[in-house]
Amino acid sequence: MISQSALTGIAVERRVTFAEWTSLPEDEPGELVDGRLVEEEVPDAVHEVIVAWVIRVLGGWLIPQGGLVLGSEAKYAVSAVSGRKPDASAYMPQSRKPPRRGTINTPPDIMVEVVSPTPRDARRDRVEKLHEYASFGVRWYWIIDPQERTLELLELGTDRRYVHARSAADGIVGSIPGLEGLSLDLDALWSEVELLGPESGEGALGDLEAQ
């Protein structure tokens, strides 16, 4: 399905350049795939809680050491014709850092994606981005699946393919590949998700309209 942005007039899935993609307003959605602007998944509250948790935990550990953590609007040129906006990304203290503005050509050490529930978006995170991030040279790819409540840590091999490094569903995960000394409390993460309200907000909206 092709849709058109009211803000920019750029139609989703029409061919655009990296310069056009980079200059889109921050609130304009879309990733660049094979030279075409395509729609991103629409994040829900569960997704946002997890992304905030990842940024908070990674930032609290990396930033005091001179590392850097970026949020979900950072635009990476993962190939000559594709640009992605991971849910979170991070640079180790000794790594070359990204520029202050424009599309980022410097691969981060870590990219994080929170899997969305639709099959199309799950395929994008587990198949398409898997190959793109590997080719881009991202050393560690973290995949968090809220539906399965799992964390997968993949590490880039010498053949530019990801291999399984660690996976967990709950408890405290220590010995994080590449981040010695960091531990991830998955029980705390899922407890934070449980602070959210009901599965759907439709009931609350109906209650308001009835008043």
Side-chain angles (χ1 to χ4, degrees):
M1 176 178 178
I2 298 177
S3 61
Q4 181 147 328
S5 161
L7 289 176
T8 65
I10 293 180
V12 172
E13 296 192 355
R14 86 164 175 84
R15 191 164 293 280
V16 298
T17 65
F18 263 115
E20 289 176 311
W21 182 61
T22 302
S23 65
L24 289 174
E26 289 186 2
D27 58 354
E28 183 71 12
E31 292 182 311
L32 193 65
V33 181
D34 294 329
R36 296 180 183 278
L37 184 67
V38 301
E39 293 176 330
E40 300 171 83
E41 67 270 19
V42 179
D44 55 20
V46 171
H47 182 281
E48 294 302 278
V49 166
I50 296 172
V51 171
W53 180 87
V54 168
I55 292 173
R56 188 169 68 247
V57 171
L58 269 179
W61 193 81
L62 275 174
I63 292 172
Q65 304 179 56
L68 188 66
V69 178
L70 278 65
S72 59
E73 289 303 310
K75 295 181 176 180
Y76 287 92
V78 296
S79 76
V81 293
S82 293
R84 294 293 192 180
K85 297 193 292 183
D87 290 322
S89 52
Y91 291 83
M92 300 293 284
Q94 69 275 16
S95 298
R96 187 162 63 97
K97 302 303 189 295
R100 293 171 182 249
R101 296 176 179 83
T103 304
I104 302 171
N105 297 288
T106 306
D109 295 288
I110 302 168
M111 276 188 173
V112 183
E113 296 288 358
V114 178
V115 180
S116 297
T118 66
R120 185 188 74 167
D121 293 332
R123 173 181 171 80
R124 177 161 39 193
D125 291 336
R126 293 188 177 279
V127 179
E128 297 171 14
K129 291 184 178 181
L130 184 87
H131 296 300
E132 292 171 348
Y133 293 171
S135 297
F136 188 38
V138 179
R139 187 169 180 186
W140 293 287
Y141 182 24
W142 294 13
I143 302 175
I144 301 176
D145 189 328
Q147 287 69 49
E148 299 296 329
R149 294 203 167 186
T150 57
L151 166 69
E152 299 173 63
L153 306 181
L154 307 177
E155 185 170 4
L156 193 63
T158 55
D159 58 355
R160 287 273 174 158
R161 293 184 180 182
Y162 283 117
V163 295
H164 177 268
R166 191 79 188 273
S167 63
D170 51 27
I172 296 178
V173 184
S175 302
I176 305 299
L179 299 172
E180 290 75 14
L182 173 67
S183 62
L184 302 175
D185 188 344
L186 295 184
D187 290 340
L189 169 59
W190 305 132
S191 293
E192 199 166 318
V193 170
E194 288 300 319
L195 294 175
L196 291 168
E199 188 68 22
S200 171
E202 293 177 0
L205 180 59
D207 293 342
L208 277 174
E209 291 176 343
Q211 292 178 3

